[in-house]
Amino acid sequence: MNDMRIMERKVDTKEVKIAAKDVQVYYGDNHAIKDVSVEIEDKTVTAFIGPSGCGKSTFLRCINRMNDTIDICRVTGDIMIDGEDIYNPKVDPVQLRAKVGMVFQKPNPFPKSIYDNVAYGPKIHGLAKNKADLDNIVENSLRRGAIWDEVKDRLHAPGTGLSGGQQQRLCIARAIATEPEVLLMDEPCSALDPIATAQVEELIDDLRKSYSVVIVTHSMQQAARVSQKTAFFHLGHLVEYGETTTIFTNPVDPRTESYITGRIG
Amino acid sequence: MPFTWLVLILITIATVGFITGRNRALRSAGGDSRDLHSLPVYYGSNVAMWAIVPAAIVLIIWMLAQPFFVNSRVLGTLPDTMVSEGSSIGLVMSDVRRVADGLDTAVEQAAMTREEAASISTETSDVRELLGEVGVALGSNVSPEVLQGAQLYRALNATSSTIMTVVVLLIALGGAAYSYSRSNAQFRARNTVERGILALLIAAASVAILTTIGILFALLFNTIEFFKLYPAADFFFGTNWAPSFSGRGGASDLGVLPLLWGTFYISFIALLVAVPIGLFSAIYLSEYAGPKVRGIAKPLIEILAGIPTIVYGLFALLTVGPLLASMIGKDTLGWMQGGTAVMTAGLVMGIMLIPFVSSLSDDIINAVPQAMRDGSYGLGATKSETIRQVILPAALPGIVGAILLAASRAIGETMIVVLGAGAAARLSLNPFEAMTTITAKIVSQLTGDADFASPEALVAFALGMTLFVLTLGLNVFALYIVRKYREQYD
Ligand SMILES: Nc1ncnc2c1ncn2[C@@H]1O[C@H](COP(=O)(O)OP(=O)(O)O)[C@@H](O)[C@H]1O
Ligand SMILES: [Mg+2]
């Protein structure tokens, strides 16, 4: 019990990375996110859980403005990253997405070589001064993505030829290569087998040292394993947000409890 | 009995069979359709099928065979001397048929009775004048042999038609009766009808395939015929195309190279126009345009594909040609002599191919998974970066396939070339000169009055074969590439 409190205090000292206030999202007439306010901390893994269709992905996609690519989607409210409003007209969403990386549910490597997959972001944003520099970035990203040892001998083989778990780690490495500050992951393990899932979870835990990681998951065990903070969404509302341990052991809201114990979902 | 009547009677038998067969089955189940093996309609259909199908098959075969049979019988009665004095046996037979038709017309118009038509002879009356009165003009006096042949021809046809009618009706009735007798509650009419439908579908597919094979063989045999008269090496490697049309004015030069060159040159210019425009418009429509713009623009572009090529040809001849000539022709730069040129045909053909390239590319670009776009946008790429670096590379094989299909259309195009590029077979690099293509020359070789057995006419088949092999190769290659690409995202 004492250990727990010490950990909690440690978490409390972290600074807020993303602050959302009164966020509403509409898909045409469908009000998908209602009054969501949340503060997500730096160097923390935050898990979004909740039943299917409750708006976890939608909210996640607000954080890097991926929803801008959907014509019918409308977002209101404020989302600040490091105190800067990302929906301010002065902010270029394209630039923002380099800073807020995203990993998708289904591994989606480009039909290019492994090297080119990772080099894609740095090349677009001009992060490398020369070829050697780029080689460096690629190697570091692949190392951080915990896949370097598996692919170092075949960097020029197509990325689509890797296994599902390797592809997902390649996608994570690809996202890391643009030096983001926040990493958004939308059910990154749902298409993977248990071994690959374990590898990716280990990687996520490692990434926490340098990034603020937000992960959507439908597996409560996964949320419990990898996250420090958990947010429970239900029908577009953020029902409860707090320490992962608290949410799983001592939820305040009856809806959270029902979901955790498997009565709604 | 007229043919229409026969068909009507067949349909009547089938209809009656349908109703009675259905009722009989129902009755056998005591009026309760739930006790039947199949729905009542299947019993009716089964009887109708048995009434129509065997009868129709016999009818068709009979009608195909009858002319052969009658012709050979009539030919057998014609004395050999007749054939040797005329130019060919075919001409004599067509005389016979003309006279026979004339007699038919005369009987129809009541200018003579059936008996008169059968017994009339050249000694007692002037057949040519008689037929002339009813509007059938003959080129010469009718010889007794031809008249007799014609009378035999009519008699045989009449007998054969009568027998055919009887046989067909008997088969129809027999089929109906047989299946009617089997219409009871236990009979699996549904399965029989299913097999009938399968047979129908197979027959349809076979017609398509057999026709293709037939056309191929016709092409092949005539090509072989041509190579017997004209050396293949001269055809494939000859650089001069100069057919002598009278067939007497010395030997023709029938080298295919100038035509191949013209074909490729014009197609190349057409693709140079169609590929960028088609591809860019596909990218705009699939990646940038909103649903409203796409809803209007896509059908508009596809209307281009519905314009008949002769209209494009007119456009080339009357608009583009003169426009080009006035821009860079004699009065200004002097590059072009007249309106018809490779450039004219190429530009217009390019316009024709735009919808082809754009709608295929649009489909292919849309088939690139949304996950690819998300991945790229998620890394902070702009739209055009995403298109250039992710979508187009992913879609490239499919787009190449689309371009190859467009190329094979360009190679086979005729009317635009005839009207837009002129008729001169020429090996030249200058795109402002008139040239011609394989297709255009096939038309001009066959529309003259050349003898169909001369190399000048038969060369059309060799040209057709060359074209066929070319486009077939392109199509197979294109389909191979497209298919390979499809597998990537399954
Ligand atoms: N692209 C879209 N267009 C329209 N409606 C959408 C779209 N994406 C999601 N929605 C709707 O928004 C709601 C939330 O979806 P989503 O965020 O995907 O839920 P979750 O990720 O929690 O399963 C759902 O009702 C869904 O139908
Ligand atoms: Mg989701």
Side-chain angles (χ1 to χ4, degrees):
Chain A
M1 208 55 212
N2 251 346
D3 283 356
M4 194 91 164
R5 228 172 259 145
I6 291 166
M7 210 181 90
E8 269 171 32
R9 218 181 306 132
K10 247 195 227 154
V11 170
D12 286 341
T13 60
K14 285 185 177 156
E15 28 181 290
V16 171
K17 184 76 185 173
I18 307 163
K21 204 153 169 286
D22 295 332
V23 174
Q24 321 276 348
V25 181
Y26 303 86
Y27 289 109
D29 294 333
N30 178 7
H31 194 172
I33 290 287
K34 299 160 189 154
D35 298 321
V36 170
S37 301
V38 67
E39 295 194 332
I40 293 168
E41 289 161 358
D42 202 9
K43 312 233 186 299
T44 308
V45 178
T46 306
F48 288 176
I49 60 170
S52 250
C54 65
K56 307 179 295 287
S57 303
T58 301
F59 186 67
L60 194 74
R61 292 161 60 92
C62 290
I63 302 175
N64 68 345
R65 294 188 59 176
M66 272 300 271
N67 284 332
D68 291 17
T69 61
I70 299 173
D71 293 332
I72 55 168
C73 187
R74 203 156 52 78
V75 180
T76 65
D78 297 325
I79 297 180
M80 321 276 256
I81 295 184
D82 289 334
E84 246 185 277
D85 183 2
I86 61 167
Y87 279 89
N88 187 313
K90 275 185 230 141
V91 171
D92 176 9
V94 169
Q95 222 50 52
L96 172 76
R97 286 183 207 131
K99 215 171 90 170
V100 184
M102 186 155 201
V103 176
F104 298 83
Q105 179 167 1
K106 219 176 129 221
N108 58 350
F110 303 133
K112 298 171 178 284
S113 71
I114 293 170
Y115 182 95
D116 286 335
N117 260 284
V118 181
Y120 183 76
K123 269 189 194 160
I124 286 178
H125 300 291
L127 300 182
K129 287 193 291 288
N130 50 39
K131 177 81 171 70
D133 204 14
L134 188 63
D135 288 349
N136 245 335
I137 294 177
V138 170
E139 180 177 341
N140 283 336
S141 309
L142 286 170
R143 277 187 198 285
R144 304 223 49 190
I147 193 182
W148 171 252
D149 289 330
E150 287 155 72
V151 300
K152 63 172 183 251
D153 300 324
R154 45 169 172 159
L155 287 178
H156 296 283
T160 42
L162 297 171
S163 76
Q166 289 174 325
Q167 287 189 11
Q168 194 62 303
R169 278 177 285 148
L170 174 63
C171 291
I172 295 174
R174 185 175 74 182
I176 293 171
T178 58
E179 297 170 13
E181 297 165 21
V182 177
L183 207 50
L184 308 175
M185 300 184 162
D186 192 350
E187 302 192 22
C189 300
S190 64
L192 304 186
D193 63 59
I195 294 176
T197 301
Q199 286 166 332
V200 171
E201 282 179 7
E202 202 178 319
L203 170 60
I204 291 171
D205 198 52
D206 200 42
L207 294 174
R208 172 161 68 95
K209 292 186 198 116
S210 5
Y211 309 103
S212 167
V213 179
V214 184
I215 175 174
V216 170
T217 174
H218 56 216
S219 149
M220 280 169 293
Q221 289 90 331
Q222 183 169 62
R225 282 194 301 265
V226 301
S227 71
Q228 288 78 51
K229 290 271 197 154
T230 295
F232 171 64
F233 285 81
H234 187 56
L235 300 178
H237 292 285
L238 175 60
V239 173
E240 193 165 349
Y241 175 58
E243 298 296 322
T244 299
T245 40
T246 322
I247 296 272
F248 279 95
T249 54
N250 205 359
V252 177
D253 196 286
R255 284 172 292 180
T256 315
E257 190 178 357
S258 308
Y259 182 70
I260 303 281
T261 53
R263 257 173 290 156
I264 54 174
Chain B
M1 185 177 345
F3 180 70
T4 352
W5 274 107
L6 182 56
V7 173
L8 281 179
I9 293 177
L10 273 185
I11 292 175
T12 314
I13 295 177
T15 316
V16 173
F18 182 93
I19 297 166
T20 53
R22 183 178 177 281
N23 289 348
R24 182 180 146 103
L26 264 178
R27 239 181 297 122
S28 77
D32 185 351
S33 65
R34 282 173 301 178
D35 291 343
L36 289 173
H37 169 271
S38 317
L39 290 175
V41 65
Y42 281 117
Y43 291 93
S45 308
N46 180 43
V47 177
M49 198 170 85
W50 273 96
I52 287 249
V53 175
I57 291 174
V58 170
L59 180 64
I60 290 170
I61 293 177
W62 196 296
M63 282 179 9
L64 285 175
Q66 182 172 320
F68 287 104
F69 170 74
V70 172
N71 271 359
S72 71
R73 282 290 298 276
V74 172
L75 266 182
T77 65
L78 292 174
D80 292 343
T81 49
M82 288 231 29
V83 179
S84 59
E85 96 191 19
S87 64
S88 80
I89 203 154
L91 285 179
V92 180
M93 266 318 285
S94 66
D95 275 351
V96 170
R97 275 194 295 269
R98 271 185 78 76
V99 174
D101 285 349
L103 291 175
D104 284 342
T105 321
V107 172
E108 243 168 56
Q109 297 185 358
M112 57 173 83
T113 62
R114 244 171 240 286
E115 292 73 29
E116 275 170 0
S119 62
I120 194 172
S121 90
T122 42
E123 281 142 41
T124 54
S125 50
D126 185 349
V127 179
R128 185 180 179 189
E129 197 185 308
L130 251 170
L131 294 185
E133 277 167 21
V134 296
V136 180
L138 295 178
S140 61
N141 274 330
V142 180
S143 69
E145 290 86 355
V146 168
L147 182 61
Q148 272 159 29
Q151 283 162 343
L152 178 64
Y153 183 87
R154 293 189 66 228
L156 282 175
N157 268 334
T159 328
S160 168
S161 297
T162 315
I163 302 176
M164 175 181 81
T165 308
V166 173
V167 169
V168 165
L169 288 181
L170 280 180
I171 292 177
L173 287 172
Y178 167 70
S179 53
Y180 175 77
S181 71
R182 295 212 299 168
S183 296
N184 58 47
Q186 279 76 48
F187 178 60
R188 303 185 176 176
R190 193 182 181 200
N191 307 22
T192 319
V193 170
E194 194 64 36
R195 275 201 297 279
I197 287 173
L198 175 67
L200 176 76
L201 299 180
I202 290 179
S206 318
V207 167
I209 294 170
L210 290 178
T211 320
T212 313
I213 293 176
I215 291 175
L216 253 184
F217 271 98
L219 209 55
L220 192 64
F221 287 137
N222 284 299
T223 306
I224 293 171
E225 201 62 32
F226 168 69
F227 285 137
K228 278 185 199 150
L229 298 172
Y230 192 88
D234 289 0
F235 173 73
F236 285 118
F237 303 112
T239 54
N240 191 21
W241 177 268
S244 75
F245 238 107
S246 60
R248 285 179 286 273
S252 306
D253 274 338
L254 300 173
V256 75
L257 286 182
L259 305 184
L260 261 183
W261 170 246
T263 303
F264 282 130
Y265 204 177
I266 293 176
S267 305
F268 176 73
I269 291 180
L271 289 178
L272 228 49
V273 174
V275 170
I277 298 181
L279 195 56
F280 290 169
S281 64
I283 291 175
Y284 171 71
L285 285 182
S286 61
E287 299 291 320
Y288 289 91
K292 265 197 208 128
V293 177
R294 185 165 42 232
I296 297 168
K298 219 179 147 161
L300 272 184
I301 291 181
E302 275 162 12
I303 283 178
L304 277 182
I307 298 177
T309 57
I310 184 75
V311 176
Y312 283 108
L314 291 176
F315 179 57
L317 183 68
L318 301 177
T319 312
V320 177
L323 188 71
L324 279 180
S326 74
M327 273 162 56
I328 53 174
K330 282 199 269 308
D331 305 334
T332 51
L333 295 172
W335 288 357
M336 249 167 107
Q337 300 314 311
T340 53
V342 168
M343 191 48 92
T344 312
L347 283 179
V348 175
M349 203 190 279
I351 296 169
M352 178 193 81
L353 292 177
I354 288 173
F356 208 67
V357 174
S358 88
S359 83
L360 274 174
S361 305
D362 188 43
D363 290 347
I364 291 157
I365 290 174
N366 276 328
V368 174
Q370 181 62 28
M372 292 293 132
R373 298 181 179 87
D374 285 347
S376 176
Y377 295 145
L379 288 168
T382 62
K383 221 159 192 170
S384 76
E385 283 164 350
T386 303
I387 290 165
R388 264 183 293 131
Q389 306 200 25
V390 176
I391 296 178
L392 284 187
L396 193 63
I399 291 172
V400 170
I403 292 171
L404 289 179
L405 286 178
S408 87
R409 287 251 344 225
I411 289 174
E413 176 48 41
T414 313
M415 287 326 297
I416 295 177
V417 179
V418 170
L419 294 177
R426 192 176 278 146
L427 270 172
S428 155
L429 276 173
N430 183 354
F432 301 108
E433 263 185 271
M435 276 185 217
T436 193
T437 64
I438 295 180
T439 50
K441 274 304 165 205
I442 292 179
V443 174
S444 63
Q445 288 310 100
L446 292 182
T447 43
D449 53 359
D451 178 4
F452 267 101
S454 70
E456 284 79 15
L458 282 174
V459 70
F461 291 100
L463 291 175
M465 196 73 194
T466 314
L467 203 58
F468 172 74
V469 170
L470 268 180
T471 46
L472 181 75
L474 266 180
N475 277 336
V476 168
F477 187 52
L479 287 179
Y480 165 77
I481 286 183
V482 169
R483 188 157 312 153
K484 208 171 144 191
Y485 158 80
R486 286 244 170 82
E487 283 162 8
Q488 253 182 41
Y489 295 116
D490 285 344

